[in-house]
Amino acid sequence: MTAVGDVAAAPPRRRRRWGARVALGAAGAWLVFVAAHRLLSGRAWWWNLPDLLPPLLFVAAPLLLLVLVPLARPARLWCAALLVAALALGWPVAGVNPATLWHRPAPAPPDAVTVFSWNTWYWDQMLAAGPGGEPIHDPDRLYRYLHAQAADVYLLQEFLYFTPEWDPVPVADVDRLRREFPGFHIAVAGELLTVSRFPITLERPLDVRPWLDREWDDLPPADSRMPAYHTVKTLRTDLLVDGRVVTFYNSHLHVPVVGLPARAPDTADDGLARHDLRQASIRALAADVADNPHPVVFAGDLNTSPAMRLLRTLPDRLVDATAALDSPYPVSWARYGLPLWRLDWLFTSADVDVHEYRMVPPDGLSDHSGQFAVVSP
């Protein structure tokens, strides 16, 4: 016969076993996901969608799952160990900047160079429509914002317009750009614009096509009015700064995903093509940096969050300037008025000092913050 006490004890034991399974299963599943992400991000094109997860989730998820540990009795230690392992594996890709607590940049010398990098969001073409559906342009507001940065070097992306069919077209009023920056030197390649107070001694667009793993017949599209938009995602300019040549790379990588990461008939919507283009952009940069004897500043909208491995495939010669930021969790991209995570980056070679580095709010002109830095070679 079954004792009455045994009957009463059976349901609590079953609940404990169920709770332990849930806690261990959740902790184990998250650890497996983080391990898969570290392995597949930037390597498998079909991982593009998980690549878009908020970077902070790699810290927040294991910390939140710790509330399940008491349910894992008698396997609480195992559950806690799985979550600690997931936290340790996810920490490097979470976008947290602990160096802000101790890093103090050196004071800038009098001849330091001020740099402003920014994705302008289709130049002065506001994402609003007039009475007939035509785009609204506000160049006065754009130029006021740019002048307010008072930079020596501007590394600007999306120097272009889009038609209602989302075809890129060049900005027509380049003459106004020259009037607004008298005495400055200008280099343009596709959507990339570099405006410099210092003379430009070399201007080199980095074409991605020689570095692709596959051939894409529509790169660029035959009817494109702006072919370089599709093939050049980094513009190199060598500037003569107080008698010394310094290289500035202005970059805007392809977005990893447009819609779901599925195959499509053209590179604009094909997940594999976008993966290939992003990888080729980094290879083109790495090859150019390897042969470049000058100090280097590399900045732009990389469309790459801290969670994406692509960021860690940049040339070893380039040093991440994040430690100079004053934020423990830097954010440069916003949507629907909400700051989300970081897509814009600044790297330099080791022979360039970063004395100041901060994100500049876009004043409603873009969904990206600007990057302002003070550097000296």
Side-chain angles (χ1 to χ4, degrees), residues 155-332:
L155 305 175
L156 305 175
Q157 302 92 48
E158 293 194 359
F159 179 59
L160 81 169
Y161 299 142
F162 273 98
T163 68
E165 295 75 32
W166 288 102
D167 294 323
V169 294
V171 172
D173 194 2
V174 180
D175 289 338
R176 175 161 185 182
L177 174 66
R178 298 186 183 280
R179 292 195 304 271
E180 292 283 348
F181 290 95
F184 278 66
H185 306 267
I186 295 173
V188 180
E191 56 152 316
L192 303 170
L193 168 66
T194 297
V195 181
S196 168
R197 183 171 64 85
F198 305 104
I200 298 174
T201 63
L202 174 69
E203 178 181 338
R204 179 184 296 166
L206 305 187
D207 194 325
V208 301
R209 286 173 292 184
W211 304 97
L212 291 165
D213 286 333
R214 302 159 188 83
E215 290 188 10
W216 300 94
D217 295 336
D218 64 336
L219 194 66
D223 59 350
S224 176
R225 294 166 58 185
M226 203 173 181
Y229 166 80
H230 307 274
T231 60
V232 174
K233 289 304 175 184
T234 302
L235 170 61
R236 168 182 172 174
T237 50
D238 288 2
L239 309 183
L240 188 61
V241 180
D242 296 330
R244 183 178 185 182
V245 174
V246 182
T247 296
F248 288 79
Y249 291 99
N250 178 5
S251 190
H252 184 199
L253 302 191
H254 288 81
V255 175
V257 174
V258 175
L260 294 177
R263 299 304 310 277
D266 57 59
T267 57
D269 299 312
D270 189 291
L272 175 60
R274 287 181 168 270
H275 174 83
D276 196 5
L277 287 163
R278 284 163 60 81
Q279 298 281 348
S281 296
I282 299 300
R283 294 188 194 110
L285 172 69
D288 199 86
V289 168
D291 293 332
N292 188 342
H294 307 301
V296 168
V297 177
F298 168 69
D301 171 13
L302 304 188
N303 275 312
T304 303
S305 81
M308 299 178 183
R309 179 181 172 272
L310 188 71
L311 198 66
R312 284 164 285 283
T313 63
L314 289 169
D316 292 338
R317 186 184 168 198
L318 298 181
V319 180
D320 187 358
T322 297
L325 287 168
D326 61 359
S327 170
Y329 185 69
V331 173
S332 72

Side-chain angles (χ1 to χ4, degrees), residues 21-34:
R21 291 191 188 103
V22 169
L24 281 172
W30 181 250
L31 176 58
V32 169
F33 173 80
V34 175

